Amino acid sequence: MPQFLDYSDADFEARFTALLTAKREDSPDVDAVVADIIADVRARGDDAVIELTERFDRVALTPDTLRISPEEVDAAIAEVNTGDREALELAAARIRAYHARQMPEDAQWTDDVGATLGWRWTPVSAAGLYVPGGLASYPSSVLMNAIPAKVAGVGRLAITVPTPDGVLNPLVLLAAQIAGVDEIYRIGGAQAIAALAYGTETIAPVDKITGPGNAFVAAAKRRVFGKVGIDMIAGPSEILVIADGDNDPDWIALDLLSQAEHDESAQSLLITTDAGFGQAVAQAVEARLQTLERRAIAGASWRDFGAIITVPSLDVAAALSDRIAPEHLELCVDDPQALSAQITHAGAIFLGQWTPEAIGDYIGGPNHVLPTARSPRFSSGLSVMDFVKRTTLAQMTPDALRAIGPGAERLATSESLEAHGLSVTARLRKLNG
Amino acid sequence: MPQFLDYSDADFEARFTALLTAKREDSPDVDAVVADIIADVRARGDDAVIELTERFDRVALTPDTLRISPEEVDAAIAEVNTGDREALELAAARIRAYHARQMPEDAQWTDDVGATLGWRWTPVSAAGLYVPGGLASYPSSVLMNAIPAKVAGVGRLAITVPTPDGVLNPLVLLAAQIAGVDEIYRIGGAQAIAALAYGTETIAPVDKITGPGNAFVAAAKRRVFGKVGIDMIAGPSEILVIADGDNDPDWIALDLLSQAEHDESAQSLLITTDAGFGQAVAQAVEARLQTLERRAIAGASWRDFGAIITVPSLDVAAALSDRIAPEHLELCVDDPQALSAQITHAGAIFLGQWTPEAIGDYIGGPNHVLPTARSPRFSSGLSVMDFVKRTTLAQMTPDALRAIGPGAERLATSESLEAHGLSVTARLRKLNG
């Protein structure tokens, strides 16, 4: 059973705060191990990667087989059935269409003093995408990471995916092919991150690395940050459902369980204006937990971190939601657009009872890589913006420099940066002859 | 004397690579000290901040004097002369006008299956800006950090600025007032970052922290990242000037020195198509170094990290520039717009001989907080985008769910995430019931 909270209870504030600050993840401290692995890959390149892959994944590779050849990819993909292929292609098309609208625009204008100002966006030249192996090897994540990169115009997109004991998911390869990935390497762990960041004899370095991974991968990404760009370090998944009493308890139960089944550390919360409905959802969750394949995981998450919160109004629900700042927010209410306008901090909002969060995980179009652990207060989900960068532009004319140069001289002097001021003074002297 | 490289020399590639990979910064390892400071501020709040400020800044504060009162601000600002005030106001107006154009737009549309998709941008609720004390206490940096935050719509913007021995720069306070800063605290170091991130009895926590600082500040920002958002960790400043022979060597020398005077670890590079011009610039630098106030710093930077590179063509210059990926790039050539179009990786470009980089530091309009150390390959300068975040939106109709729901069910099944699939199945069953 999850926690039950009622906004009108005397201890509500204390219990709600405890819910917000509950430590859901105990990351093992693997930083020292990861530092050694990165140093090894930097020093010995392919040899180190091959040895580490043999040790951790029990796969014997050579420099020639680090990369999965196009022929191997084709052979593996041939096994995929038509239904799965069509579903992936539909998802890819929808994700591509959504992200194509995110491309930012260049700008250039001339202002009142005659200065030409602006900016230009350019894509990252090369990006690497980490794909976990084994159970968490999700083709949908390949689409969600690779498509924004390709929409942005990334020229070279490399994937690393470990193949423990040689096992490889053909759907991951198909997703990579559909998304336009250029290279696929059968390596994983910190050694894959190091190879992408620093390069080896066989693997050219990239400029940006994205994608989820275990504690070793996360620690390696933190360590190579600065040498290359990285995406956020994601924590366990979360969902908040705000629902009035006019919903099917089983639907809401399944939405809550679809986060809970990811991970024992996941968190599923329901805020409802109808205490009886909250009880009905709790019963529906228990009923589904009897048969759910991943009931051990989902049950632990729901028991340890789940909560059902009764509130007097949707206004209060919105205010609590902003304190939670959820990764996923479902609004199962009469006028979800109106309620949505009251929300400031959320990674993704799913509006209305016909929009289960799972649609967003796969096929809606928006990205499923979203900020967790209250970070929607200050960060956004993965997008085309993660694979482009802005160069600002400024061009003065003699008249523009005459107009604003003296201000720069003055400020440089006040900051005791003499050469800054003189670089303007020398030009103004010429102009003023 | 700086290094001289010639593209046609046999050892060019080796020397150019060495220049790119030169380690310019030896950050002291202060992480353990910083961890203790953060833990202390989290545990003891104001008391810890006050004790640390007394120890490091030799200033005795109380909870009532942590914040610089509006009356103190007004009194200090009254000392500022009119010329400095007008220069700051002109700079602020130009920075505000430039950044106002960066506000991203919300979007919402209905697609071919009837799904309503889109996104919405919202500002960070509260931001903190770290301002260094002492010599590096630059009012221009206050404008460059605070104005984008206020343009983005940040509701509460707090500044921390240490006042070693009680010394405070009135121009910093004036810049803060002009930029619309809400609160100013006279604290610094890791304790200021901890107070902003976790809050104390007197200082409410913020969601995002930006601004430059020393090794302690940088280490503290890395540690609080995740709890709050941070901007980039900036390295020593850099400039690359690409110039043909048709320039005044003294102007280019001053542009190079205006980076070199920042820091002994700064790097100033010249690429020129005219070897003789390169020599003339080198002589002009030496001449200016005779009298420059900060000649000790600028001279060390120029001697240790400066370089003059002769190339056969501007095409080669552009290609080398992209390998350098400079923070600041000046194009002192006949057609700077054309050359600019050949550049992919640069933080900011200054076009033509009338645009010294110092204009961009103060008054041009674009931001002077820019990525360093080759990170323009994957990151951008500070902007309004650093103070907003995106919430994605998706709303299905029954018809939309009928159209794309089966694809989501299929993919959920292929990923063994049963509850994900069932949350769609349950709704489709009702629709098809």
Side-chain angles (χ1 to χ4, degrees):
Chain A
M1 274 288 155
Q3 288 192 59
F4 288 86
L5 284 73
D6 192 309
Y7 187 76
S8 62
D9 285 349
D11 64 349
F12 175 80
E13 183 56 35
R15 290 184 63 202
F16 185 73
T17 302
L19 201 64
L20 284 187
T21 53
K23 189 166 169 57
R24 289 192 282 134
E25 206 180 18
D26 249 335
S27 297
D29 187 3
V30 297
D31 197 50
V33 178
V34 164
D36 287 346
I37 289 174
I38 293 173
D40 193 19
V41 172
R42 289 184 70 175
R44 298 195 299 127
D46 282 349
D47 285 351
V49 172
I50 288 168
E51 281 178 33
L52 290 160
T53 302
E54 181 143 22
R55 190 191 317 163
F56 293 124
D57 298 338
R58 300 159 302 280
V59 174
L61 299 177
T62 67
D64 288 340
T65 58
L66 275 176
R67 180 167 173 184
I68 303 180
S69 72
E71 295 71 29
E72 277 177 279
V73 172
D74 288 340
I77 287 175
E79 297 171 24
V80 175
N81 67 58
T82 309
D84 284 350
R85 175 188 293 270
E86 287 174 355
L88 272 180
E89 283 171 348
L90 175 62
R94 293 185 55 85
I95 296 164
R96 200 175 286 120
Y98 182 92
H99 287 78
R101 292 181 181 245
Q102 292 180 328
M103 273 301 283
E105 288 187 8
D106 296 348
Q108 191 153 299
W109 65 93
T110 301
D111 72 7
D112 54 339
V113 301
T116 300
L117 302 174
W119 62 74
R120 219 178 52 205
W121 293 93
T122 46
V124 168
S125 295
L129 162 56
Y130 188 89
V131 179
L135 253 190
S137 182
Y138 295 140
S140 59
S141 289
V142 174
L143 298 182
M144 292 290 182
N145 280 271
I147 289 173
K150 280 296 176 183
V151 168
V154 169
R156 175 178 160 251
L157 179 57
I159 277 188
T160 63
V161 55
T163 59
D165 300 307
V167 175
L168 188 54
N169 181 350
L171 284 173
V172 164
L173 299 181
L174 177 57
Q177 190 181 71
I178 290 171
V181 168
D182 301 288
E183 303 162 14
I184 308 176
Y185 299 95
R186 62 185 111 221
I187 59 175
Q191 58 273 22
I193 301 298
L196 289 172
Y198 291 97
T200 70
E201 300 89 327
T202 303
I203 304 172
V206 302
D207 302 306
K208 175 112 189 185
I209 300 175
T210 70
N214 62 18
F216 291 86
V217 171
K221 283 170 67 180
R222 275 187 192 274
R223 281 208 160 251
V224 301
F225 173 54
K227 166 70 181 166
V228 299
I230 63 169
D231 61 345
M232 68 199 93
I233 308 282
S237 196
E238 313 147 5
I239 189 170
L240 167 61
V241 180
I242 298 179
D244 57 28
D246 194 21
N247 278 281
D248 185 326
D250 184 50
W251 296 7
I252 304 302
L254 286 165
D255 298 348
L256 295 168
L257 287 169
S258 71
Q259 291 310 301
E261 75 176 345
H262 270 298
D263 189 338
E264 294 185 4
S265 304
Q267 183 166 52
S268 301
L269 304 174
L270 169 64
I271 297 182
T272 180
T273 46
D274 183 330
F277 177 75
Q279 293 290 344
V281 170
Q283 285 166 24
V285 169
E286 296 307 320
R288 287 290 185 176
L289 279 174
Q290 301 301 310
T291 58
L292 201 67
E293 285 163 17
R294 297 167 71 97
R295 58 185 171 270
I297 293 170
S301 158
W302 180 239
R303 180 189 67 232
D304 294 340
F305 302 111
I308 295 177
I309 303 169
T310 305
V311 293
S313 71
L314 291 178
D315 291 344
V316 171
L320 294 181
S321 177
D322 267 352
R323 291 180 61 191
I324 295 167
E327 178 190 15
H328 304 102
L329 174 61
E330 252 185 53
L331 303 180
C332 296
V333 297
D334 216 35
D335 188 349
Q337 290 275 355
L339 186 56
S340 161
Q342 289 184 257
I343 302 293
T344 307
H345 308 307
I349 301 182
F350 304 87
L351 296 108
Q353 62 174 341
W354 300 107
T355 318
E357 185 276 329
I359 284 292
D361 280 339
Y362 293 115
I363 210 159
N367 211 288
H368 78 197
V369 180
L370 293 165
T372 59
R374 306 192 61 223
S375 61
R377 291 175 298 125
F378 54 81
S379 64
S380 309
L382 197 72
S383 78
V384 167
M385 303 298 289
D386 290 286
F387 298 99
V388 296
K389 64 267 182 338
R390 184 194 330 95
T391 299
T392 61
L393 306 171
Q395 178 164 21
M396 299 298 125
T397 58
D399 280 348
L401 195 66
R402 255 192 222 106
I404 66 173
E409 286 178 293
R410 186 111 205 173
L411 293 170
T413 303
S414 80
E415 294 186 356
S416 301
L417 293 172
E418 188 191 12
H420 284 67
L422 288 173
S423 73
V424 177
T425 307
R427 287 163 167 97
L428 288 179
R429 193 164 293 155
K430 168 84 173 258
L431 285 178
N432 299 328
Chain B
M1 274 288 154
Q3 288 193 61
F4 288 86
L5 283 74
D6 191 310
Y7 188 74
S8 61
D9 285 349
D11 63 351
F12 175 81
E13 183 56 33
R15 292 185 61 203
F16 184 74
T17 303
L19 201 64
L20 285 187
T21 53
K23 189 168 168 52
R24 289 193 282 133
E25 205 180 17
D26 248 336
S27 298
D29 187 3
V30 297
D31 198 49
V33 177
V34 164
D36 287 346
I37 290 174
I38 293 174
D40 194 18
V41 172
R42 289 185 69 176
R44 298 196 300 127
D46 283 346
D47 285 350
V49 172
I50 287 168
E51 280 180 32
L52 290 160
T53 302
E54 180 143 22
R55 188 191 317 162
F56 293 125
D57 298 338
R58 300 160 302 282
V59 175
L61 299 177
T62 67
D64 287 340
T65 58
L66 275 175
R67 181 169 171 184
I68 303 180
S69 72
E71 295 72 30
E72 276 179 281
V73 172
D74 287 339
I77 286 175
E79 298 171 24
V80 175
N81 67 58
T82 310
D84 284 350
R85 176 189 292 269
E86 286 174 356
L88 272 180
E89 282 171 349
L90 176 62
R94 293 184 56 85
I95 296 164
R96 200 175 286 120
Y98 182 92
H99 288 78
R101 293 183 182 245
Q102 290 179 330
M103 274 300 286
E105 290 188 6
D106 295 349
Q108 192 154 298
W109 64 94
T110 302
D111 73 6
D112 55 336
V113 300
T116 300
L117 302 174
W119 60 77
R120 218 178 52 204
W121 294 94
T122 46
V124 169
S125 295
L129 162 56
Y130 188 89
V131 179
L135 253 189
S137 183
Y138 296 140
S140 59
S141 289
V142 174
L143 298 182
M144 292 291 181
N145 280 270
I147 290 174
K150 280 296 175 180
V151 167
V154 170
R156 176 179 161 251
L157 179 57
I159 278 187
T160 63
V161 54
T163 59
D165 300 308
V167 174
L168 189 53
N169 182 350
L171 284 173
V172 163
L173 300 182
L174 177 56
Q177 190 181 69
I178 291 171
V181 168
D182 302 289
E183 302 161 15
I184 309 177
Y185 299 95
R186 60 184 115 224
I187 59 174
Q191 58 273 25
I193 301 298
L196 289 171
Y198 290 98
T200 69
E201 299 89 328
T202 304
I203 304 172
V206 301
D207 302 307
K208 174 114 188 184
I209 299 175
T210 70
N214 62 18
F216 290 86
V217 172
K221 282 169 68 179
R222 274 187 194 274
R223 280 209 161 251
V224 301
F225 174 55
K227 166 69 181 163
V228 299
I230 62 168
D231 62 345
M232 68 197 91
I233 307 283
S237 195
E238 314 148 3
I239 189 170
L240 167 61
V241 180
I242 299 179
D244 57 29
D246 194 20
N247 279 281
D248 185 327
D250 185 49
W251 297 7
I252 304 302
L254 287 165
D255 298 349
L256 295 167
L257 286 169
S258 71
Q259 291 310 299
E261 75 176 345
H262 269 299
D263 189 338
E264 292 185 5
S265 303
Q267 183 166 54
S268 301
L269 304 175
L270 169 65
I271 298 182
T272 181
T273 46
D274 183 330
F277 178 75
Q279 293 291 345
V281 170
Q283 285 165 22
V285 170
E286 295 307 321
R288 288 287 184 177
L289 278 174
Q290 300 302 311
T291 58
L292 202 67
E293 284 162 17
R294 297 167 70 98
R295 59 186 170 270
I297 293 170
S301 158
W302 180 238
R303 180 188 67 231
D304 294 341
F305 302 113
I308 294 177
I309 303 169
T310 305
V311 292
S313 70
L314 291 178
D315 290 345
V316 171
L320 294 182
S321 177
D322 266 353
R323 289 179 63 193
I324 295 167
E327 179 190 14
H328 302 103
L329 175 61
E330 250 184 53
L331 304 179
C332 296
V333 299
D334 216 35
D335 188 349
Q337 290 274 357
L339 185 56
S340 162
Q342 289 184 259
I343 302 293
T344 306
H345 308 307
I349 301 182
F350 304 88
L351 298 108
Q353 61 175 341
W354 299 107
T355 319
E357 185 276 330
I359 285 291
D361 280 338
Y362 292 115
I363 210 158
N367 211 287
H368 80 196
V369 181
L370 294 166
T372 58
R374 305 192 63 220
S375 61
R377 291 175 298 124
F378 53 80
S379 64
S380 310
L382 197 71
S383 79
V384 167
M385 304 297 290
D386 290 285
F387 298 98
V388 296
K389 64 269 184 330
R390 185 196 328 95
T391 297
T392 61
L393 306 170
Q395 179 164 21
M396 299 297 126
T397 59
D399 281 347
L401 195 67
R402 254 191 222 106
I404 67 173
E409 286 178 291
R410 188 109 204 176
L411 292 170
T413 304
S414 80
E415 294 185 355
S416 301
L417 292 171
E418 188 191 12
H420 284 67
L422 287 172
S423 72
V424 177
T425 306
R427 288 162 165 98
L428 288 178
R429 192 164 294 153
K430 168 85 174 262
L431 285 177
N432 300 327

